[in-house]
Amino acid sequence: MLAILAAVLFAIALIMDLAEASIGIAASAFVTAGLLCLALHMAGIGTRMPARNGGRRWSMRR
């Protein structure tokens, strides 16, 4: 999820840079936020935790 957010932030920064637009926040702030999201994603934060049984439902064997 954080990787998708980082891609959106990078896209906003690119559009702002190409359009030379200014909305009160510099494009470099979006790049920094995108890099932060990528770092958190690579660290494993924001990813879904695996189930204890590997996501499978085992029937009870007798």
Side-chain angles (χ1 to χ4, degrees):
M1 187 70 185
L2 288 173
I4 295 171
L5 179 62
V8 170
L9 290 172
F10 287 139
I12 292 171
L14 178 66
I15 291 169
M16 285 179 56
D17 190 41
L18 291 176
E20 297 179 3
S22 177
I23 59 170
I25 299 173
S28 63
F30 286 104
V31 172
T32 303
L35 289 173
L36 175 66
C37 288
L38 279 180
L40 290 173
H41 174 73
M42 295 301 290
I45 298 173
T47 57
R48 187 166 33 164
M49 298 294 290
R52 289 184 186 256
N53 60 1
R56 300 179 188 142
R57 287 188 172 183
W58 295 98
S59 61
M60 295 180 64
R61 297 181 185 181
R62 294 182 185 205

